[in-house]
Amino acid sequence: MINVILFGPPGSGKGTQADFIVKRNHLTHISTGDIFRKNISQKTNLGQLANEYMKKGQLVPDQLTIDLLENELDSFSDTNGFIFDGFPRTIPQADAFSTLLKTKNMFVSFIISLEVSENELVRRLLRRGLESGREDDQNEEIVRNRIQVYEKQTSVLKAYYLNHLPNIVFSIDGERTIEQISNDISNILSTKQG
Ligand code: ADP
């Protein structure tokens, strides 16, 4: 089993790269953002609650997110592994994640950190807002707020993982072509099979 955490700020290309990895390595893609958005469009209680935070560019509360992730993991019993995109996003989420993985006898194989400068992130997110109509991508203030939330609450996870699992953290320059980046990721993942 290969379990990959794709780490990086909003707009760094996690979703795009996750799609490549899923195809090449036959992994199951878990994007907490996608799951929340699905719940919003289906008008579930969880979706309504999550949307109150998402539309402002804030994080959904940890416990809600952790419970969601646990349910999601339980729903895939037969897989080569998972690619976690957008989770964990806070230290409490990372702690809860590590406890959860232990109870399932699972391990994180790779942590891939996509590095992109703030100006480029804002440019990409606003463009995505125009193309996709995603509400939290359309307003520059909300986009900048999400990047700030990332800096405050999520970026510390890189040091956290460098501290806990130093041998499996890989930083990648995310300001190159999609293909260059996915080739780099693929080379890293090929160092471990199954
Ligand atoms: P991006 O990486 O571009 O910010 P996502 O689709 O991953 O996009 O997330 C969109 C929004 O969903 C976030 O701004 C946040 O409100 C919520 N969200 C997604 N994942 C998490 C998480 N692990 N913890 C808390 N909130 C989350």
Side-chain angles (χ1 to χ4, degrees), residues 124-138:
R124 288 184 188 180
L125 290 170
L126 291 176
R127 192 181 57 207
R128 187 168 76 183
L130 287 176
E131 288 165 1
S132 74
R134 221 178 99 166
E135 201 182 349
D136 60 347
D137 282 342
Q138 290 183 2

Side-chain angles (χ1 to χ4, degrees), residues 51-70:
N51 197 30
E52 291 307 307
Y53 300 89
M54 288 171 74
K55 68 184 183 199
K56 296 184 217 150
Q58 296 165 358
L59 294 184
V60 177
D62 283 332
Q63 199 54 53
L64 206 63
T65 308
I66 291 162
D67 292 346
L68 173 97
L69 194 275
E70 184 166 1

Side-chain angles (χ1 to χ4, degrees), residues 10 14 32 37 54 58 60 86 89 93 128 134 146:
K14 299 187 295 293
T32 40
R37 277 186 291 277
M54 288 171 74
Q58 296 165 358
V60 177
R89 247 179 165 94
Q93 288 182 21
R128 187 168 76 183
R134 221 178 99 166
R146 277 159 58 208

Side-chain angles (χ1 to χ4, degrees), residues 141-194:
E141 201 184 321
I142 293 171
V143 162
R144 290 206 182 266
N145 187 39
R146 277 159 58 208
I147 295 172
Q148 262 178 25
V149 166
Y150 172 84
E151 290 302 335
K152 269 201 210 132
Q153 303 190 56
T154 308
S155 64
V156 288
L157 285 181
K158 190 166 173 195
Y160 172 100
Y161 281 118
L162 278 170
N163 198 16
H164 287 80
L165 301 165
N167 299 327
I168 59 166
V169 179
F170 296 84
S171 298
I172 293 202
D173 174 0
E175 287 193 42
R176 295 171 301 149
T177 65
I178 290 174
E179 194 186 5
Q180 283 171 326
I181 298 166
S182 70
N183 282 339
D184 274 10
I185 297 178
S186 167
N187 286 336
I188 293 168
L189 299 199
S190 67
T191 60
K192 178 179 188 288
Q193 286 309 330

Side-chain angles (χ1 to χ4, degrees), residues 94-145:
D95 284 336
F97 191 41
S98 108
T99 308
L100 178 66
L101 291 183
K102 268 189 208 125
T103 65
K104 295 184 174 297
N105 221 350
M106 283 168 62
F107 297 90
V108 179
S109 320
F110 299 100
I111 296 159
I112 309 277
S113 170
L114 293 172
E115 319 272 334
V116 176
S117 66
E118 174 161 352
N119 282 344
E120 174 66 9
L121 294 175
V122 174
R123 212 176 56 78
R124 288 184 188 180
L125 290 170
L126 291 176
R127 192 181 57 207
R128 187 168 76 183
L130 287 176
E131 288 165 1
S132 74
R134 221 178 99 166
E135 201 182 349
D136 60 347
D137 282 342
Q138 290 183 2
N139 170 310
E140 179 156 352
E141 201 184 321
I142 293 171
V143 162
R144 290 206 182 266
N145 187 39

